[in-house]
């Protein structure tokens, strides 16, 4: 398997974003707040610098081609190749992200779209021309490679990935077959690109008129907040139906796109000799498929606390029928809005237990230029953190001042701190941590923030709001992501078995899962069944979402150990946790978590989250009785 250049594939496939430096410092919605947009000048000052690096990338690609047929002749030649690929990967990361991330702020930017097409074409051509590398590396006997690593210090940074390549050797094809497979790299990404265009560039949400007479233009960003704040059930229904009607009207197109993605995954798995698509996705990081299957079964079999919460919600809201569009409203009038600068201060206060070094990194990340805060026309929805090696991480938000977005900020800053620790403590070859451990850092920050806010809460209304936040965090991160993981698993199995996949089939799978997870308290809505069409991870990163649930379970166990331990035990827990942050990708993720004290090969972490959910629901019920 490719050792360094695999990083390029991650760049090509991941959903990460940037913005042009000329927007930095524009007026923000908050008074006296500036520099709330990305500053790309940290990467390149201008297009001339970008073009200079692009020229170097092309030259490096040509240089690497000259090593064909020479890798097993002597270790010095092999070392040269590894170092060339590392140099190329570092350079390519910047060249690729500069225009690609700009486009995420403006999906209609045709200039950057054209540059991205040029880069993708260049990469596809290079991948085909160098498809011989993986088979040729594996032609070197494992014993010989081990001796080279032992006697040449230059190979030490690549040791883990090299040995992992030999573990996966049975899935590497011969050089001619690898070349044939490389020809399909671009068309295999077409379905995902079509989804992005349909759901971001071409989507047109309607303007609706609420019962108050107010006109509202729907968007990805304001949809959730409207459901949280609108007091009228009819208005919430209007928002829900108007939003999902767009997806329902195009459900056959979305189904065809998703079927194509599942078929691509199946073809890849078969071509490389995997037992199925799940194994193909998990085997690279040596994650047992039993972890995935155990998660979805444990969540599916333990929905009792979630059912209880839905019953409690129905009672509190005094509704004859509780619908999915009623599930975002708050139980009290505590509906405070948070300015972005205030939220930054709240996060800083919460993470103090992680030490002065952690806080120093966080101060640097929030001083300006690293975070694009506010929603803009044609800007991609949601939130995420994206690392640029040799520069710094960047965070995208669509700030709406809600408590939920305060937690989103803590979440994404957790990712960024993880990147900084990994960058500073690992060589380039192992600096990139796996998705499997990525969400531990983000959700651990959320645990710290929640605990800090609950301790400070003085009024019952505030405590209720925070308990709701805790419950809905488990609901959204553990239960819903497990539901989504179950959905992906079922659909991929259908494709593997040659069964039909239509919009009707997908609606039934999703609808049945929601009905099971929500229970009898929630009246089924037809449009809930089409929610599969708007989850971008299904289309861009198959078999990704389960890791939110596994990581949340791991961070919950770590936080519980910290919260309930003695001062000495707390310090030990924090040190182990920060060791995890520093470890990058220097070991298999299940092993990394075991070193931190969490064993995800057992059901214990998952069951602990269920118990935590039950505790919070019971506490919420007690607090509500005080009103």
């Amino acid at each position: 398997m490719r050792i360094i250049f695999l990083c390029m594939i991650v760049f090509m496939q991941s959903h990460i974003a940037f913005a042009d430096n000329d927007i930095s410092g524009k007026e923000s919605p908050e008074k006296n707040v500036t520099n709330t947009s990305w500053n790309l000048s940290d990467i390149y000052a201008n297009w001339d610098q970008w073009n200079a690096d692009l020229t170097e990338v092309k030259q490096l690609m040509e240089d690497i081609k000259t090593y064909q047929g020479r890798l097993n002749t002597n270790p010095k030649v092999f070392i040269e190749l590894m170092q060339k690929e590392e140099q190329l990967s570092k350079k390519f990361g910047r060249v690729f992200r500069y225009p690609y991330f700009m486009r995420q702020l403006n999906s209609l930017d045709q200039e950057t779209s054209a540059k991205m097409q040029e880069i993708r074409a260049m990469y596809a051509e290079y991948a085909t021309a160098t498809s011989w590398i993986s088979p040729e590396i594996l032609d070197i006997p494992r014993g010989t490679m081990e001796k080279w690593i032992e006697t040449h210090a230059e190979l030490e940074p690549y040791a883990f990935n090299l040995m992992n390549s030999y573990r996966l050797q049975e899935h590497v094809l011969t050089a001619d077959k690898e070349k044939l497979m490389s020809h399909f790299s671009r068309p295999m990404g077409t379905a995902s690109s079509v989804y992005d265009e349909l759901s971001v560039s071409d989507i047109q949400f309607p303007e609706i008129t609420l019962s108050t007479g107010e006109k509202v233009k729907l968007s990805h960003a304001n949809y959730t907040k409207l459901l949280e704040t609108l007091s009228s059930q009819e208005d919430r229904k209007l928002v829900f139906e108007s939003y999902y009607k767009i997806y329902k009207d195009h459900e056959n197109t979305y189904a065809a796109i998703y079927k194509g993605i599942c078929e691509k995954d199946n073809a890849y798995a078969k071509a490389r000799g995997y037992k199925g698509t799940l194994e193909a996705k998990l085997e690279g990081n040596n994650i047992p498929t039993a972890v995935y299957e155990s998660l979805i079964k444990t969540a599916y079999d333990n929905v009792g606390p979630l059912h209880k919460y839905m019953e409690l919600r129905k009672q509190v809201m005094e509704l004859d029928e509780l619908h999915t569009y009623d599930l975002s409203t708050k139980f009290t009038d505590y509906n405070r809005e948070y300015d972005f600068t205030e939220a930054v201060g709240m996060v800083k206060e919460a993470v103090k237990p992680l030490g002065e070094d952690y806080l120093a990194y966080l101060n640097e990340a929030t001083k300006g230029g690293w975070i694009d805060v506010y929603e803009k026309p044609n800007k991609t929805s949601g939130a995420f953190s994206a690392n640029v090696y040799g520069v710094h991480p960047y965070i995208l938000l669509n700030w709406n001042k809600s408590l939920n977005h305060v937690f989103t900020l803590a979440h994404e800053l957790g990712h960024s701190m993880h990147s900084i620790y990994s960058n500073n403590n690992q060589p380039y070859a192992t600096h990139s941590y796996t998705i499997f451990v990525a969400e531990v850092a983000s959700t651990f920050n959320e645990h710290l923030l929640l605990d800090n806010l609950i301790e400070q809460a003085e009024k019952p209304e505030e405590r209720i709001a925070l308990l709701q936040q805790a419950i809905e965090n488990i609901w959204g991160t553990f239960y819903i992501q497990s539901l989504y993981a179950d959905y992906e698993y079922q659909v991929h199995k259908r494709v593997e078995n040659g069964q039909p996949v239509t919009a009707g089939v997908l609606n039934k799978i999703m609808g049945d899962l929601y009905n099971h997870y929500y229970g009898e308290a929630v009246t089924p809505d037809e449009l809930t069944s089409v929610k599969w069409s708007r989850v971008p991870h299904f289309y861009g990163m198959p078999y990704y979402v389960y890791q939110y649930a596994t990581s949340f379970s791991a961070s919950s166990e770590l936080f519980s150990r910290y919260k309930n331990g003695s001062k000495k035990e707390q310090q030990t827990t924090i040190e182990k946790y920060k060791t995890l942050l520093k470890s990058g990708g220097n070991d298999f993720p299940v092993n990394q978590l075991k070193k931190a004290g969490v064993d995800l090969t057992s059901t214990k972490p998952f069951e602990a989250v269920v118990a935590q959910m039950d505790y919070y629901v019971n506490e919420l019920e007690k607090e509500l009785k005080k009103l």
Side-chain angles (χ1 to χ4, degrees):
M1 304 296 286
R2 303 297 290 278
I3 308 302
I4 299 300
F5 201 68
L6 283 174
C7 293
M8 289 194 193
I9 300 173
V10 175
F11 296 149
M12 302 290 284
Q13 293 177 343
S14 58
H15 288 262
I16 43 185
F18 257 90
D20 199 354
N21 54 311
D22 66 3
I23 64 170
S24 188
K26 283 190 176 182
E27 182 181 355
S28 76
E30 294 179 31
K31 294 180 180 179
N32 303 319
V33 178
T34 58
N35 206 18
T36 56
S37 298
W38 286 324
N39 181 8
L40 275 187
S41 63
D42 291 343
I43 306 175
Y44 294 113
N46 49 51
W47 281 109
D48 289 340
Q49 286 188 359
W50 180 85
N51 280 311
D53 266 6
L54 180 63
T55 299
E56 287 190 37
V57 164
K58 291 178 179 178
Q59 184 58 55
L60 284 166
M61 287 180 171
E62 292 303 315
D63 292 345
I64 287 170
K65 294 175 187 178
T66 67
Y67 286 84
Q68 185 171 7
R70 300 194 293 132
L71 297 189
N72 62 359
T73 57
N74 113 30
K76 290 186 177 179
V77 173
F78 183 73
I79 291 169
E80 286 179 11
L81 172 70
M82 298 302 293
Q83 292 175 339
K84 286 274 189 183
E85 278 220 307
E86 178 171 319
Q87 185 182 357
L88 172 59
S89 185
K90 289 178 181 177
K91 193 76 68 175
F92 186 88
R94 294 192 182 195
V95 166
F96 178 82
R97 290 185 174 184
Y98 190 68
Y100 179 66
F101 296 169
M102 288 181 194
R103 189 175 184 275
Q104 302 312 294
L105 271 196
N106 182 5
S107 63
L108 301 181
D109 186 336
Q110 297 301 307
E111 179 183 6
T112 54
S113 295
K115 290 182 184 297
M116 285 311 307
Q117 289 180 23
E118 176 189 354
I119 294 172
R120 285 194 173 101
M122 181 182 70
Y123 168 75
E125 180 183 346
Y126 172 79
T128 299
T130 58
S131 58
W132 53 269
I133 293 181
S134 291
E136 193 164 317
I137 289 176
L138 295 176
D139 279 343
I140 302 170
R142 180 170 183 152
T144 300
M145 182 63 71
E146 289 172 343
K147 188 173 181 179
W148 285 3
I149 293 171
E150 183 180 345
T151 56
H152 295 83
E154 302 99 315
L155 287 176
E156 179 56 34
Y158 312 111
F160 174 73
N161 288 323
L162 283 167
M163 290 302 101
N164 192 35
S165 294
Y166 285 97
R167 182 183 68 86
L168 297 168
Q169 188 168 8
E170 65 179 298
H171 302 297
V172 178
L173 308 178
T174 59
D176 60 332
K177 290 180 180 178
E178 286 290 346
K179 183 174 182 178
L180 180 64
M181 288 283 288
S182 71
H183 287 300
F184 292 92
S185 62
R186 291 179 70 192
M188 288 179 80
T190 299
S192 180
S193 297
V194 172
Y195 174 80
D196 287 342
E197 298 295 343
L198 181 62
S199 299
V200 180
S201 301
D202 294 342
I203 200 162
Q204 295 291 327
F205 289 113
E207 182 179 77
I208 59 174
T209 303
L210 302 177
S211 60
T212 59
E214 179 186 1
K215 294 184 181 298
V216 177
K217 173 74 172 179
L218 288 181
S219 70
H220 289 300
N222 70 10
Y223 169 74
T224 300
K225 189 171 185 180
L226 286 168
L227 293 186
E228 287 178 356
T229 57
L230 290 173
S231 59
S232 165
Q233 187 181 39
E234 285 303 310
D235 282 345
R236 294 194 297 269
K237 180 181 180 181
L238 175 63
V239 169
F240 171 76
E241 292 183 346
S242 299
Y243 184 85
Y244 274 104
K245 183 180 185 298
I246 304 297
Y247 293 96
K248 182 67 176 177
D249 288 347
H250 296 90
E251 64 178 349
N252 293 315
T253 302
Y254 281 113
I257 294 170
Y258 189 53
K259 181 173 181 285
I261 286 170
C262 293
E263 288 176 337
K264 174 204 70 174
D265 294 339
N266 188 41
Y268 176 89
K270 286 183 175 179
R272 296 200 174 276
Y274 289 102
K275 295 176 183 176
T277 55
L278 180 62
E279 183 190 51
K281 290 294 182 182
L282 271 56
E283 181 66 11
N285 290 319
N286 201 23
I287 299 169
T289 56
V291 170
Y292 191 104
E293 293 163 343
S294 175
L295 167 71
I296 59 177
K297 184 178 188 307
T298 303
Y300 190 91
D301 291 346
N302 290 275
V303 292
L306 184 57
H307 286 185
K308 185 175 181 180
Y309 176 64
M310 295 302 170
E311 291 285 357
L312 182 61
R313 175 176 276 282
K314 186 176 182 180
Q315 293 172 18
V316 171
M317 296 182 72
E318 298 180 338
L319 294 173
D320 293 331
E321 287 189 354
L322 181 70
H323 292 263
T324 52
Y325 45 80
D326 300 318
L327 303 184
S328 298
T329 59
K330 304 306 177 184
F331 287 172
T332 70
D333 292 333
Y334 188 85
N335 195 29
R336 183 183 160 192
E337 291 190 336
Y338 301 83
D339 285 342
F340 177 68
T341 49
E342 179 185 11
V344 169
M346 293 165 65
V347 176
K348 288 180 179 179
E349 181 67 27
V351 302
K352 282 183 177 178
L354 297 178
E356 293 182 2
D357 56 334
Y358 192 98
L359 194 57
Y361 290 146
L362 194 142
N363 285 333
E364 181 70 14
T366 56
K367 71 179 183 181
W370 291 30
I371 307 176
D372 197 274
V373 180
Y374 300 104
E375 184 179 15
K376 302 177 181 73
N378 304 312
K379 176 181 175 180
T380 194
S381 61
F384 49 78
S385 170
N387 183 41
V388 183
Y389 188 85
V391 185
H392 55 71
Y394 283 70
I395 293 173
L396 180 140
L397 301 173
N398 282 276
W399 193 255
N400 69 6
K401 295 190 175 184
S402 68
L403 179 63
N404 184 55
H405 274 213
V406 178
F407 279 87
T408 298
L409 174 64
H411 182 104
E412 300 307 336
L413 282 168
H415 284 310
S416 293
M417 297 307 102
H418 194 175
S419 295
I420 292 172
Y421 274 104
S422 295
N423 291 349
N424 291 347
N425 290 277
Q426 292 296 317
Y428 181 79
T430 54
H431 84 282
S432 183
Y433 48 84
T434 63
I435 294 170
F436 192 80
V437 298
E439 299 300 337
V440 176
S442 56
T443 55
F444 193 81
N445 268 15
E446 292 189 65
H447 287 303
L448 288 171
L449 177 62
L450 176 66
D451 184 65
N452 192 54
L453 293 179
I454 287 179
E455 285 187 356
Q456 294 177 1
E458 297 178 354
K459 298 179 180 179
E461 291 83 359
E462 184 177 4
R463 186 170 174 81
I464 288 170
L466 291 167
L467 284 169
Q468 257 199 285
Q469 180 72 33
I471 290 166
E472 292 176 5
N473 200 19
I474 296 174
W475 166 23
T477 309
F478 178 76
Y479 281 110
I480 293 299
Q481 302 310 324
S482 297
L483 182 159
Y484 287 167
D486 200 341
Y487 164 84
E488 284 193 277
Y489 187 65
Q490 290 189 48
V491 178
H492 276 86
K493 280 293 184 184
R494 290 187 68 87
V495 171
E496 290 171 23
N497 295 330
Q499 296 173 288
V501 173
T502 64
V505 168
L506 299 179
N507 288 344
K508 186 175 189 313
I509 293 172
M510 186 62 81
D512 288 348
L513 284 169
Y514 266 107
N515 290 342
H516 173 80
Y517 272 81
Y518 284 177
E520 295 181 358
V522 180
T523 301
D525 293 294
E526 180 187 2
L527 289 176
T528 301
S529 299
V530 82
K531 282 191 173 185
W532 55 266
S533 61
R534 64 156 292 203
V535 182
H537 298 79
F538 293 164
Y539 301 85
M541 293 172 282
Y543 289 120
Y544 179 102
V545 296
Y546 86 99
Q547 294 162 117
Y548 285 117
T550 53
S551 290
F552 184 84
S553 300
S555 68
S556 295
E557 188 166 335
L558 286 170
F559 178 76
S560 177
R561 191 174 298 130
Y562 163 77
K563 179 68 175 175
N564 300 316
S566 64
K567 286 189 176 181
K568 183 177 180 180
E569 289 170 335
Q570 286 182 335
Q571 188 59 39
T572 299
T573 298
I574 293 300
E575 287 174 0
K576 285 186 175 182
Y577 171 67
K578 288 166 81 170
T579 297
L580 173 67
L581 300 186
K582 295 174 183 178
S583 64
N586 68 1
D587 198 353
F588 298 119
V590 170
N591 293 342
Q592 290 176 310
L593 288 173
K594 282 182 179 179
K595 292 173 187 176
V598 179
D599 184 6
L600 285 177
T601 63
S602 75
T603 59
K604 182 181 176 182
F606 309 142
E607 292 166 349
V609 175
V610 173
Q612 188 180 44
M613 176 73 164
D614 192 52
Y615 169 79
Y616 282 137
V617 172
N618 289 334
E619 287 297 301
L620 177 62
E621 190 172 26
K622 292 177 186 177
E623 291 293 331
L624 286 167
K625 290 178 180 177
K626 296 177 183 178
L627 293 180

